[in-house]
Amino acid sequence: MKRKKNNVSISSSNKKTKSRDSELAQFLSPVGISLRQDRHCSSSDIDTIVRELSVKLLDTQARDNFFIMLQDYIDEVENLKVAMLPLVKEDSTTHFNSDSLIKILLRVPSISEQLTELLLEKLPLVAEDRTCNIAALTVSQLRWMNSLSYDVIITKLNEVLPVCPLPVQKEMISGLPEILPDEKHEEACELLLDHISTLDLVPCILETLSELSLSHKMLDKVHEAVEVQLCALSADSVPAALRFLLSTAPPDKAVSSIRQHIDFQSLCKSGEGMEAEELSMECLEQVLRFHNKIQKCWLSLLHSSSSLSVFDLLVYLILYRVNNKPKTVLSSIRFHLKEGTFNASLVQDLYRNHAKTAALFNSEQLKIAHSLLLSFPEHSLPSLLYLSVFTHGDLHAQQEVVGSLISHIGSGQSKEVDSGIRTLGLIKDSTDKSVDRFSSLLNGLLDYLNTLSIPQAREVLYLLVRISSAGSCRTVDDIHIITRKYLSHSSTKLRKLGIIGSCSLVQALSVESTDKAKTFISKVQESLSRAPELEALFYDELASCVGNGCVDRETVQLIYDTYVDKFQSDFVSREPVDSTSQVCDILCLEGADTLENDETGHISINLWNCVEAENPTQLMVLCPLLRLVGTSLAILENSMEDIDSILGCYIRALPLDDIVTCERSTVGLLALINLVIEQINVFHVERRPSMRNKLVKRIKLLQELLGLLRKVPVVDDMVPMVFDLAEDLGTSKSKKGQSSKSTLNDSAADVSKDMSLFDPTKTGTMKTSTQLDKSENDVEAGAVAVTKPKKHVSSWSSGVKFRGFIRELDIRTMAILNLSIESTLQSNESSAQSEVEPMTLGLPETCMMLEDLLSKCKFKLKPASVFSKPENSLGFSRVASLSETKFTQQILSILPALCQTMEDNVSQPKETSSDSQETSQNQSAMNSTLEEIAMLEDNPFGVKTFELVFSILELVFSWSGFATNSQISTECFSILASRTQNQTQGPLSVRRKHALHYLLNFEKSCQSFSSTINLLKCCSVISDSKDQRISDICKSCLQREWDITEDEKENKVRFNEGVGYLVRTFLSHSSENQGDLLDLLVEQLDVVVKKDEDVEKIFPTFTRATLPTIYKIVLTKLVEYQKSISSDKENGLDILTNCVGNFANLITYIKIIESRPLLRSALLYGQKFLESFLAIGLPLLSPMISDNYVEVQSILKKIQTSTRQLHHATTHSKSLKDIALTARVPLLKKFLEAFLLKVKAIFAHHGCTDAFWVGNLKQRNLKGEEIVSQQVEEEEEEEGDVDDLSELSIDTDDEDNNSRAAPDDENSDSMSIGY
C-alpha cells in the first residue's frame, strides 16, 4: 500500500510539473515563443518579444506566477539546457539569431535580477551533468548584457564559487571581463583576489585579471598578492604568472619578482613539469621578443646580480636569441664568468634537471661557447658547454660541436688550439663511442698538423688513434701516410711530428699484430740513426706510450728485449781501476757500496767519456733510453730486479769538488744530474729495502748536485734534454748569431729572475749572492727585521735557469716522500729480522722534492680565476700529459706524508749530544749534518717545509676543479681530518671543519712570515664562512715584529702584499662590528702618517713602506661598508657617519705624504665613495634635514673637506702631466659636480636655500698652495675649464674666505659651495 501511495505522489508531482510547463507554454505562446522538447521556436523578432513580455510582467502577481512556472521548468537539466540554446524559426531547424529563451528573459527588467540569481544558484546543482557544459552556457547568457544587476552577480558569485567544482569556477572566472562593465572591474578584482589562494585557479585568475581595466593602485595590490603566491605555484601555473607580471607590472618590478620568487630548480625535479617549463620559456621568449624595454631591464638586472640561478641562465639564452644586439648579452655573460658567478656547477644543474629545456637553445649555447673559448681559452666552462650540448643534443647538434672544435684546433692561436684539443678529448672520455661516428670528419685535423706545436700534435695524433680503435682503419692509414712523409722531410719540426705519429702507430699496430709493430719500429730506428736528438725523442715518446698502458704486452716485451741490450752495449761497461786517472767513481756521497769488484774491474756507467766527446750523441740518448728500458720492465714485471745493477753501479765522473772547476764543468754537472734524475724516475717503484736505500742515496746526491749548479755558468755547448720543441734548444740549429743562452731566454721567459744572476758582460761568469747583496740597496720591508746570514735552502731554484737542459722528475716519484712512514712501520714490525736498516729522507731532500712538486702544481692546477697567467711549459712535458684530476690524485696519495713531515717539525725538543750520537750511529753523513742543523735555533729547512706544504695545499684547494669534484674534495678533507683522530665519516661540511681545525693547529709552528701567510691563504680557501680563529691569527700577525728572512727582505713587494692580505683577511673573517674595525685601522694609520705619539702603536707591521697597500684596502672596505646601508637601514646614519669621518681622515694623507700610489688610490676610490654616497647616503640624509639638521650638516661639512682635497688632487695630477693619474680625473670630476647639484637640490627642496651659497674655487696643489704659474692669456682661453669642478665648503673656512665674494653676510652655520 505504501508503494502505491509513493507512486501516486510521484505521478501527481509529474502531472503538476507538466501542467506548469503547459501553463508556461501557454503564457509564452502569445508573444511568439513555442516551447518544444529539443529546440524552442520563435515566430516574432526578439525586440517585439521582449517588449510584450515586459508589458505582461508589469503586474506583480503575474510576475510571481511566471517566475514560479519558469523555476519549475528549468529544474529539469534538459529543460535548462534547451532554454539556453538559440531559438529557431517556426517550421525550420536553423536559428536566425544568437538569443535564447533565458537571454530574452534576462532582457526583461522586472525579472532580470531574480533570474540571474536563479541561474547562478543552479550552477553547483547542475555541474555534475557531463552531457553539456552548463557553466559555459550560463556565461554565454550573461555575456554582453546591459540590463543585468552587476552587484547581484558579484555577490552571488562570491557565495557560489567556493562550492562549485573546479571546471565551473574556471568558466565563471574567465567570463567575468565580458559580463561586467569597466566600472565594476575593480570589484571583480577584489572577488578574484579572495580566491587567488586556490593554486589551481591561479592561471585562470591571472588571465582574467590581465583583461580587466584596473587603476594603478589596484594593480599594485594585485601584484603584491601575486608575488605572495609565486613561491607556491606549480609548474603549470608559471607561464600564466610570467605573462601576467610582464604585461601588467613595471619592467623592473616584474623582473625582480620573477627572479626572486620563481624557483625552477624545485619546480621540475625528477622530470616533472617539463612540458610546463617549455611553455614557460616559449611564453617568456614571446614577451621578450616584442618588448625591448623588458629586454634591457632584465639584462641590466642580470648584469648587476651578485649570483645567478638556472633560470637566469635560461633567460640569458633567450635574450641571446631575441636580442638585436647579442654582443651586449655576451658581454654580460663574460662579466659573470670573470666574477665566478657563471660557473661549472650552474651548467651542471641546468642539464641535471632541465636538459630537455636546455636542448631548445643548443644553437645559442654553441655560439656562446665559441665566443667564450676565444675570450677565455684557459677556462673550463666553454669546454663544459660543448660537452653538455654534445651529450644531450641530437645528431645535428653533435656534428655542429665537432665542426666547431675542428675550427678551433685549426685556428693557429696556441691557447685556442689547446682548449679545442682539451675539449675534444673530454668529449671522447665522457661519451665513450659517440664521437667515433665522426671519425671521417675528424681526419681533417691531419691537415692542420704542421701548424701545431709538438705537444699539440701529440695530443691530436693520440686522440685520433683512440678514435680509430673503434674500427676506422682509414684514420690509421692516413696517419701512416703522413708519418712516413714527415720522417723523410728535411725540417726538424716535421721529423719530430713524424716520430710522434710513429709512436701513435705503434700503439695502433700492437693491437693488430706484434710483427707489424716490430717491423715498423725497426724502420723508424733506421731512419733516426744519424739524428741523436730525434732518436732521443723517439725513446721518450715510446716510453710514454708504453707507460700509459696503450701498447700490447707482447710488443712491450719486444721493445724491452731490443733496447736493454742496446743500453748495456752502449753505456754499461766493466773497467779496471786506474789510480793515475783524474776520473774517479762516484756512488752517492761515498764509495762504500761496490758491486762485483774483482781484478777485472767493476760495473760502471762511464759518463765522463760521453762528456769529453765532441759529439753529444750519447749524452742525448742515455737518459731517454734508460727511461724506455725501465718503463718497459715496470710494465712487464712491476719490479726492477733485472736491471737493479744500474742503480747500484758506479758512475765514472770527476770528483764533486773538482767537477765545478774543470773546463766542461757545466756540461758534466748537467749530465750527472740528468742521469741521477732518470735513475730516480725508473727505480721509484722499488719496494726492497736495499734498493730503497740506494734510491735515497741518489736523491741526496741530486740535492747536492743541484746546489753545485750555483757555481757553474751558462755556456753554449750544453746538451738539451727537452726534445719536443719545434726547434732545437742550444744546438747548432739555433739562429745565426744567437747563442744557447739567448735561445734559452726565449724559451723560458718565466725564469728571467733567476737569469738575472748571470752577468752578460762577462761570458762564462756569474754573480755570486754576496756580490748581489753588496750591489743592492737595503730597502725597508715594512717590519723590524733582524737580518740573518743567508742560507740557500732552495735547491731547484738554482737550476731553473737550466730548465731546458735538465730532465723532468716524474710526478710519481713524489711517492718517495712516503718513505718516512713506511720505514717507521717496517722498523717497528721487524726491526730484529731486517738485515738492512731503512734510510729516510732528510729535511733538505724533502724540501727539494716539495719545491719540484710546487712548481708542477703552479703549472698544472689552474685557479678559479680566469686571468691567471699560465706557466711556461718548458720542462713540464710529463705533467702536461696528465689530466688535472689524475695529477691531483697523485698529490692526495702523498698527502699523509706531507702531514707527517709537518708534524715531525712541530716543536721538536732539543736532544743532548749523547742522544744525538746514539740516534745517528747507523745514519749517513748527510743525516748527521741534518741533525746539527736541527739543533740550531732557526732551522731553515723546517721553516721552508711548512711554507712549501701550505703553498701546495693552497693551489690544490684553489684549483677550479676541486669544488666541483666531490670525490677529490671528500678524500682530501678526510685525510686531513683523520690526522686529528676525528671521524672521517659524515657530510663534506663536517670533514671540511675538521680539516680546517687541523691546519689551524700549525699556527704556532709557523716561525716565518711567508709560512704564516701561506697557512692563512690555505685556510681561507677552504673556509666556507667567517671564521674568528683566522681573524685572530691575522691580528696577532699584524701585532708581531717579524724577523723576516733575507729573501723577504730583498723582495719588499712580497712582504707588503702579505701585510695587505693580513689586513683584508682580518676584516673579512672578523665577527666584530665593521665600523669599529675600520676605526681601529684608520687610527693606526694615523700613527704612521701623522706620527701621533699619544696613540699607542698596536700594529708594528704598519709602516711607511706598507702604507700604500693598507691604504688601498681600507678605502675599498669603506666603500663596501657604505653600500651595506641599503641592507641595514636602521643603523644607516651611524654607518654613514663612520664612513664619512674615516674617509675624510684618509684623504688628508695625500696632503701629508707625497706618494703616487696614495694619490692613485685616492682618485680611484674617492670617485667610488662619492658614487655610492650619492646613490645611498644623500637619499638617506634628505628626509632627516627637517628633524636632524645639525647631524646632516656635520656629515656634509666632513665630506666637504674630502671633496675639496680631491679637487686639489685632480689639479695636481694635471700639473704633473701624469697620464695614468689624469685618466681618472674626468669621472671623479663628474661625481664632484653631481654632488654639488644634488646637495643644492635637497636644500632647495626643504627651503634651506640660505644655508649655502655658490662661489669660485681656485686651483691649488696638494699642499693648498695656489697655482699662479698660469699666464693671463691661458686663463682667458681656458676660462671654461676653471669652473668645471664643484666643492662643498664651510663658510668659516679662512682658506677660501679671501677668494670668494659672498653677496650677503653669512652666519657660521651656513654652507658654502665653491664652484
Side-chain angles (χ1 to χ4, degrees), residues 105-106 108-117 147-149:
L105 296 177
L106 286 173
V108 179
S110 57
I111 63 171
S112 174
E113 181 176 342
Q114 289 179 302
L115 182 57
T116 303
E117 291 183 0
S147 58
L148 298 178
S149 177

Side-chain angles (χ1 to χ4, degrees), residues 458 462 499-500 503 533 535-549 556 559-560 563-564 566-568 571 605 618-636 639-640 643 646 674-685 721-724 806-813 856 875-882:
R458 178 190 296 113
Y462 280 101
I499 292 172
I500 297 174
C503 292
E533 70 278 4
E535 186 179 0
L537 176 62
F538 177 66
Y539 294 152
D540 267 337
E541 288 296 323
L542 194 57
S544 298
C545 190
V546 171
N548 293 332
V556 174
I559 293 173
Y560 173 73
Y563 290 106
V564 70
K566 179 177 176 60
F567 181 82
Q568 291 179 357
F571 301 105
I605 298 177
Q618 289 184 317
L619 285 181
M620 285 187 180
V621 176
L622 171 60
C623 294
L625 187 57
L626 177 59
R627 178 190 176 188
L628 177 59
V629 172
T631 305
S632 302
L633 184 59
I635 293 295
L636 293 173
S639 174
M640 298 290 110
I643 59 171
I646 296 177
N674 288 326
L675 178 58
V676 173
I677 289 177
E678 205 55 56
Q679 286 178 332
I680 296 172
N681 287 339
V682 170
F683 292 96
H684 77 277
V685 298
M721 284 293 142
V722 180
F723 307 109
D724 57 356
I806 296 180
R807 298 284 292 180
E808 180 184 359
L809 199 62
D810 200 301
I811 180 64
R812 290 172 292 184
T813 61
K856 288 179 170 60
F876 296 106
S877 58
R878 297 192 187 184
V879 176
S881 62
L882 295 175

Side-chain angles (χ1 to χ4, degrees), residues 838-1093:
M839 298 176 61
T840 59
L841 296 178
L843 281 180
E845 297 81 33
T846 303
C847 287
M848 178 195 69
M849 302 291 287
L850 292 178
E851 283 181 0
D852 183 69
L853 180 59
L854 179 60
S855 64
K856 288 179 170 60
C857 290
K858 289 180 179 179
F859 168 76
K860 191 64 181 178
L861 298 180
K862 305 299 181 185
S865 174
V866 298
F867 293 107
S868 58
K869 183 179 179 181
E871 292 286 335
N872 194 294
S873 60
L874 185 66
F876 296 106
S877 58
R878 297 192 187 184
V879 176
S881 62
L882 295 175
S883 65
E884 293 179 345
T885 302
K886 291 183 179 179
F887 179 82
T888 309
Q889 290 173 347
Q890 292 285 344
I891 297 177
L892 294 184
S893 65
I894 63 171
L895 184 56
L898 300 181
C899 296
Q900 185 66 42
T901 302
M902 293 192 297
E903 293 168 7
D904 293 341
N905 286 277
V906 173
S907 303
Q908 290 184 348
K910 297 182 180 180
E911 298 178 354
T912 61
S913 58
S914 59
D915 294 336
S916 62
Q917 291 177 1
E918 293 177 0
T919 56
S920 61
Q921 288 179 354
N922 298 323
Q923 293 183 353
S924 63
M926 176 59 69
N927 283 339
S928 298
T929 304
L930 179 59
E931 295 238 351
E932 295 175 0
I933 295 176
M935 296 297 294
L936 297 176
E937 292 183 1
D938 182 20
N939 185 356
F941 294 106
V943 173
K944 191 69 176 177
T945 300
F946 285 107
E947 181 180 342
L948 292 172
V949 173
F950 290 141
S951 298
I952 292 170
L953 290 178
E954 182 206 350
L955 289 172
V956 173
F957 296 152
S958 302
W959 170 46
S960 57
F962 184 80
T964 57
N965 194 322
S966 60
Q967 180 181 358
I968 288 180
S969 58
T970 302
E971 181 181 357
C972 180
F973 292 145
S974 299
I975 293 173
L976 295 177
S978 64
R979 310 297 297 186
T980 59
Q981 298 181 354
N982 289 319
Q983 294 183 358
T984 58
Q985 304 297 327
L988 184 63
S989 59
V990 176
R991 304 185 191 190
R992 183 196 301 269
K993 180 181 178 180
H994 291 318
L996 180 62
H997 177 70
Y998 170 73
L999 293 175
L1000 288 175
N1001 288 338
F1002 289 103
E1003 182 262 331
K1004 295 182 180 179
S1005 302
C1006 296
Q1007 300 300 322
S1008 69
F1009 182 78
S1010 299
S1011 59
T1012 306
I1013 292 296
N1014 291 337
L1015 169 64
L1016 289 171
K1017 289 182 179 179
C1018 182
C1019 295
S1020 298
V1021 172
I1022 64 175
S1023 178
D1024 53 356
S1025 61
K1026 286 187 176 183
D1027 196 313
Q1028 185 61 36
R1029 293 174 297 175
I1030 297 178
S1031 177
D1032 294 339
I1033 294 175
C1034 292
K1035 187 175 182 179
S1036 64
C1037 291
L1038 292 173
Q1039 294 174 337
R1040 183 175 174 182
E1041 295 183 359
W1042 288 97
D1043 295 341
I1044 62 176
T1045 63
E1046 189 68 21
D1047 292 335
E1048 295 165 347
K1049 180 71 174 178
E1050 291 176 356
N1051 193 349
K1052 66 173 185 178
V1053 176
R1054 182 183 303 173
F1055 180 82
N1056 294 345
E1057 290 177 352
V1059 174
Y1061 177 80
L1062 290 176
V1063 174
R1064 190 183 303 108
T1065 310
F1066 170 59
L1067 292 173
S1068 301
H1069 286 270
S1070 179
S1071 58
E1072 299 179 17
N1073 182 268
Q1074 196 77 3
D1076 297 338
L1077 296 177
L1078 291 173
D1079 288 340
L1080 175 63
L1081 294 178
V1082 174
E1083 179 182 326
Q1084 291 300 304
L1085 289 178
D1086 285 343
V1087 177
V1088 177
V1089 177
K1090 302 177 182 179
K1091 298 181 180 180
D1092 189 356
E1093 298 179 356

Side-chain angles (χ1 to χ4, degrees), residues 588 593 595 647-648 689-698:
C588 293
D593 191 1
L595 291 175
L647 180 63
S690 58
M691 296 302 294
R692 277 299 181 106
N693 289 349
K694 294 178 182 180
L695 187 64
V696 171
K697 290 182 179 181
R698 291 300 186 199

